[in-house]
Amino acid sequence: MVTRHRLLALAFAAAASAAPAAAPTIAEIVEVADITGLAVSPDGLRVAYRVHRADLARNDYALEWRVAEVDGGADRRVGGGGAPVYVDPGAIDAAAPVWSADGSALFHRVLADGAIGLWRTAADGSASAPVAVHDGNIRAVVAESGGRTLRYATGASRAAVQRAERAEYDSGIRIDPSVDLMQALTGGGMIDGRKATQRLTGVWFARKGLLADTPLTWRSLNLQTLADASSEAPPLPPVVSPIQFTPPPLETRSTTGNFARAIWDDGRMRLEVETVAGVRHECPQTLCAAGRFSWMAWQPGRDVLLVAMRDGFRDQTLFRWSVADGDVRRLAGGDGLLAGDRDGQTPCAAAPSALICVASSPIAPPRIVAIDIATGSTRLLHDPNAALRARDLPQVERLAWASAGGTAYGLMLTPRGPPVPRPLFISYYRCQGYLRGGEGDEWPFAALIDAGFAVVCINAVDRPGNSDGVTSYRDALDAIEKLVVRESKAGRVDRDRVGMGGFSFGSEVTMWVARNSSLLKALSLASTQPEPHYYWANAMRGRMHPGVLRDYWGLGAPEATPEHWRLLSPALDAARIRAPLLLQLPEHELRGATELHARLSNLPTPVEMYGFPDEAHYKLQPRHKAAAYARNLDWFRFWLQGVRDPDPLKAEQFARWEALASRWRGERGEP
């Protein structure tokens, strides 16, 4: 720990050199707009897309549909998107709309007045109204017949779902493998705009509502006459399990019948195209050597495959492959994401002349652009985050260094100005697109940098062929230690003031680093850890969890593999956690951390735990995100800079932390 006298000196120095904050505020980071649901019009001249933005005042999200001209002409709001439809484990449904054949209207799902219906929105913005609302919510929409008709499906009626919830509430709930005891038995999650009872689907922690397995009722809608009739179910793509150590294949078929497929083959990605005539084409070396495949799309009406490749920094570069003559050209990219949304795996929307993409980079929030397929030139269509680009932005440096598991890649963000030894905050897992708060959006990078921190976001080291958790943790520790040594020697970070925060896999790495090194002086977790309690809460016969724990971590029942549990469980190794720990956990994971929290509370190491009601893996409510950001900022400034926010509303918080620090110093014999 930094001594009290040094902390006071650092605090005075920080106060003396402080300048008016010009970086994005926590509220502005929370309210960054995202873009999803891209769909090109039948004539290829326009693109529809949805913008959603958090609204802290309402603790909700505002959704709107927009239409832009691909050539960079008019862009307009055409209608609202209703209330957000939350999907497990903490995201907003992002389905693209269906265009009518004549391009006059969009058809899309809307949650309004407690029901998910099918709405028609005029492409010129003149009207938006429901065309199909039933007793059951609309679950799926499938376009067909060139935009002349679509098919949609409804599930069990809303009244039947609520009756089923009430019936089991009154009679008692039988605990079977589908009941997750980590969340509330009833009303444990948000489904279709209401707090509803959830059940596990059988695939990891994916959840569904009661009666979700009721057979869907399919109907067909004529998009010109709006005539509605019963229909058979259309062919649907298979559901892909989220628990895979080898990525699923990427597949896409062109309008001319050509089929492209990218698969993992002996540790590397292989791309093959089969034409409608049965001719096979292997991926040219100039394309396949450019990185890993993120997504693929065909240029409409052409035998041209458009491919996004990802490098070690998770930056995407777009390529154009003319299958007939083998010509490969680089179109754009190399500095962030170019995809259909912020996850980087959804394809850009392909028009005959351009790719329409959501573009973002480490300090540039999302905007929508058109990339000319012939020349690679880029034009802006709409920027919902333009105000943030005028703010004071940090310096960004891409770092690559050798580590035990292979080359490590990361991004270092620092305040502008000459290098000085700064407190360092580390995030480890995935670093892509606009860096708001690391994977999970938990730590306000802009606010930390504005407070004088250096922030390093490290992509997980990718050891070829590895599917072992312990090896991944050891590779991470080696990469982090080498980076801190290198940057401290360069005079850019203070190795005595290093903090780290982690979400999901990143939280496991954070705890491994805390327990197996003296590197960290403060830490924060947003996810639960593998603990004996976690095992038994998920080990009922019929659950897949014991198999995953065995295959990835080598963990059996605690009494069967006690040594491995001591190796991996922070609760069983609490005495080796020697840095102040802040736990900010979603309610669905909170109960799994009770042993760790209780053990640490009886040790000198400072610990505080917060639970966020109704949240799943990712926190979704805007006020919860803002609260987590603010508390994480306070935590790392307190322990690494000796700074207390003078806000009187935080006086009790800092008094608690001072008491924790005093007790800790006393146990360690420090003044």
Side-chain angles (χ1 to χ4, degrees), residues 304-613:
V304 173
L305 188 64
L306 306 164
V307 182
M309 304 296 285
R310 171 173 63 82
D311 63 18
F313 296 105
R314 301 191 74 88
D315 292 331
Q316 291 177 319
T317 301
L318 306 188
F319 291 88
R320 174 189 184 276
W321 175 21
S322 177
V323 175
D325 60 19
D327 180 52
V328 174
R329 300 181 192 175
R330 180 188 181 279
L331 288 179
D335 182 28
L337 292 185
L338 289 169
D341 56 22
R342 68 175 292 193
D343 73 0
Q345 303 299 308
T346 302
C348 296
S353 62
L355 276 170
I356 316 303
C357 303
V358 180
S360 63
S361 61
I363 57 174
R367 62 199 185 282
I368 188 166
V369 300
I371 300 169
D372 190 285
I373 294 174
T375 67
S377 62
T378 300
R379 54 187 174 272
L380 177 67
L381 300 185
H382 179 59
D383 186 355
N385 297 300
L388 287 181
R389 299 182 204 284
R391 308 302 294 273
D392 183 31
L393 301 176
Q395 300 177 126
V396 181
E397 182 179 352
R398 284 169 169 77
L399 307 175
W401 65 101
S403 73
T407 303
Y409 297 90
L411 297 160
M412 187 170 188
L413 293 84
T414 56
R416 295 193 177 275
V420 295
R422 299 183 180 278
L424 173 64
F425 175 79
I426 299 170
S427 174
Y428 185 97
Y429 192 179
R430 281 191 292 254
C431 315
Q432 61 184 26
Y434 181 52
L435 299 181
R436 307 165 214 214
E439 183 72 12
D441 288 341
E442 294 278 344
W443 300 272
F445 284 5
L448 284 164
I449 296 163
D450 193 49
F453 280 74
V455 171
V456 172
C457 189
I458 305 172
N459 288 306
V461 174
D462 186 13
R463 178 188 287 263
N466 177 52
S467 61
D468 173 68
V470 173
T471 300
S472 296
Y473 301 154
R474 288 172 173 156
D475 286 347
L477 174 57
D478 181 77
I480 291 167
E481 285 183 325
K482 286 176 177 172
L483 176 72
V484 172
V485 168
R486 188 180 84 167
E487 296 304 321
S488 63
K489 286 182 178 179
R492 302 207 295 175
V493 304
D494 181 348
R495 65 182 304 167
D496 292 326
R497 294 188 290 159
V498 178
M500 187 171 179
F503 166 84
S504 196
F505 169 70
S507 73
E508 298 159 19
V509 169
T510 300
M511 289 307 294
W512 184 269
V513 174
R515 293 163 50 220
N516 292 281
S517 77
S518 58
L519 189 66
L520 303 182
K521 302 303 184 289
L523 52 149
S524 163
L525 301 185
S527 304
T528 193
Q529 303 299 296
E531 306 289 3
H533 171 72
Y534 171 92
Y535 179 88
W536 287 117
N538 295 287
M540 187 176 181
R541 182 180 294 275
R543 289 273 192 98
M544 71 178 295
H545 301 75
V548 174
L549 293 175
R550 180 188 62 248
D551 294 343
Y552 187 65
W553 285 281
L555 292 170
E559 66 273 16
T561 55
E563 292 302 319
H564 219 56
W565 274 104
R566 278 191 284 273
L567 176 68
L568 287 165
S569 165
L572 299 180
D573 196 25
R576 292 175 62 198
I577 300 171
R578 296 178 291 271
L581 170 62
L582 176 64
L583 297 156
Q584 299 204 89
L585 305 179
E587 183 178 10
H588 290 188
E589 299 181 10
L590 179 73
R591 295 165 184 85
T594 53
E595 184 177 358
L596 173 62
H597 179 240
R599 285 180 181 271
L600 281 176
S601 72
N602 287 285
L603 294 173
T605 302
V607 63
E608 258 195 5
M609 182 162 75
Y610 289 81
F612 289 81

